[in-house]
Amino acid sequence: MEKDHFKDRTADCRRRSMIHPGDCVFICTKNRQRDAKDIQDLNLIKVSRNLTRQEDHPRGQKVQGTDVVTGQKLVGRVVYLTTDGSYIRTAHGDLTIQEWRNYHHKKK
């Protein structure tokens, strides 16, 4: 998952104290970790509970929640926090999905 595709995520996605039930976050599920490269490879979920006991986890907090599109219950590691579910919080500031894609396509 990590490779070079999601290096702009903030350190907050690793901190337990920053993720609460009801928050919307982008997660990478276990089966997508090897091939996730774009925001569309991640799932936007509403967090129901945090599964990681550590306050700070280097690969991101593992959470359980409900996919906001399909309603499916999912478990995965937090890649990005969101602001109101519409802006992705990155090291470069809050970006819309289109701004995130534009930024990553410029880097290539």
Side-chain angles (χ1 to χ4, degrees):
M1 170 183 73
E2 186 62 20
K3 297 189 177 54
D4 293 319
H5 308 295
F6 305 112
K7 292 279 189 187
D8 63 339
R9 65 187 188 164
T10 64
D12 288 347
C13 67
R14 298 186 329 222
R15 293 191 185 107
R16 183 178 178 84
S17 61
M18 297 301 294
I19 302 164
H20 307 93
D23 289 351
C24 287
V25 299
F26 280 96
I27 64 165
C28 184
T29 57
K30 181 85 169 171
N31 63 332
R32 295 305 310 257
Q33 285 179 351
R34 292 182 185 258
D35 63 352
K37 295 178 182 167
D38 190 53
I39 201 81
Q40 71 189 32
D41 299 328
L42 305 176
N43 295 86
L44 180 62
I45 68 161
K46 187 172 189 176
V47 176
S48 58
R49 63 184 232 185
N50 194 322
L51 302 174
T52 305
R53 291 183 182 184
Q54 294 172 289
E55 171 55 34
D56 193 357
H57 194 282
R59 291 183 304 275
Q61 294 288 312
K62 186 181 279 188
V63 296
Q64 180 179 39
T66 306
D67 189 295
V68 298
V69 176
T70 66
Q72 182 180 11
K73 295 222 183 257
L74 297 172
V75 172
R77 295 223 179 255
V78 176
V79 179
Y80 292 112
L81 302 177
T82 67
T83 305
D84 300 326
S86 55
Y87 288 94
I88 303 165
R89 291 174 55 192
T90 73
H92 310 291
D94 291 358
L95 304 174
T96 64
I97 290 174
Q98 188 58 48
E99 290 170 335
W100 184 92
R101 282 196 176 117
N102 290 342
Y103 178 80
H104 283 275
H105 287 293
K106 282 183 202 175
K107 282 179 39 178
K108 293 180 182 180

